[in-house]
Every structure is written in C-alpha cells, then in structure tokens.
Amino acid sequence: AQLAESGGGSEEAGGSLKLSCVVSPDGFAICGVGWYRQAPGQGRGLVATIHSDGTTNYADTSKGRFSISQVDVNKNNTFFLQMNSLKTEDTAVYYCAAVLRRFAFQCPTKDLVPNYWGQGTQVTVSS
C-alpha cells in the first residue's frame, strides 16, 4: 500500500490551503484516514480523521477551520484536508496516514491508529 500527499506550500496567515492524499490500498480495506502534523521541535499530533463510515474527528485546534473529506477516484481513494483561516502556528509537516486491514470486517469501529504513513508535505504559514 502507498500514500502520496500533495498540496503543501507557503501561505499567509488567514489564507487557505488544500492538501490531497491518494491512498493506493493494494487490496487492503481502508478503515480510515487521518491527517497528522509535526511542527519543529514538537511531536506528531492529530489534525483530523475520517472513518470509512464517514465519521470525522478533529483536534480542537482544527475545529471550525479545517475539513477532512474523501473522494473515490478510479478506486484510488483520494482524501483531502481543506485548511482555512490559517495561522502561523499551523506551520508543520503534514502527514497523511491510513488504517488498513486485510478485510473490512477487521476495521476498528473507533480509535483509528494508523499503520501506513505518507512521506509528509510541508505547510508554512507566514504572518
């Protein structure tokens, strides 16, 4: 399985960016996908997740500004993170991560813990 992120870059505070993640599950079931971020000198933290049933979950710092969504395109599932009202503290490397299982019935109903990660994409927000 592979995950490929795109859409990072530089933006001014108050602006918007949209990140994309194409998940190629290689026969695995996609239980859910999440976006995580890691700022310099900090640990990696949750931004938002979306379960295969459509349920979404956001970190408090993301609520009201970020939106996670999914589009199936030719069986290569594409996930987005729309980021609005960007703040300088949003500057980080953003990672797409997926929870994959051999069969869909093995998917957890909650607590999505990723087992596949993308390479990350840099987001820089300037004041």
Side-chain angles (χ1 to χ4, degrees):
Q2 293 183 332
L3 286 72
E5 304 111 327
S6 62
S10 298
E11 183 59 75
E12 293 185 348
S16 298
L17 282 173
K18 187 173 185 177
L19 306 182
S20 301
C21 175
V22 176
V23 180
S24 302
D26 193 23
F28 288 91
I30 302 175
C31 305
V33 168
W35 288 95
Y36 298 77
R37 68 185 185 186
Q38 186 168 17
Q42 298 185 20
R44 191 174 299 185
L46 172 72
V47 176
T49 62
I50 183 167
H51 195 279
S52 57
D53 65 6
T55 303
T56 57
N57 180 52
Y58 294 91
D60 288 343
T61 53
S62 305
K63 290 178 181 177
R65 299 188 301 125
F66 295 179
S67 178
I68 188 171
S69 60
Q70 173 187 1
V71 175
D72 292 343
V73 181
N74 296 326
K75 300 185 179 181
N76 284 337
N77 298 279
T78 305
F79 297 80
F80 301 102
L81 182 69
Q82 177 68 46
M83 303 186 294
N84 300 324
S85 301
L86 285 165
K87 304 176 181 181
T88 55
E89 50 263 44
D90 294 321
T91 295
V93 177
Y94 284 71
Y95 297 90
C96 177
V99 179
L100 305 181
R101 294 290 187 271
R102 202 70 182 102
F103 302 103
F105 74 85
Q106 297 172 318
C107 289
T109 56
K110 60 179 180 179
D111 297 333
L112 296 174
V113 179
N115 52 350
Y116 287 85
W117 292 82
Q119 294 299 309
T121 185
Q122 177 69 46
V123 171
T124 302
V125 184
S126 59
S127 59

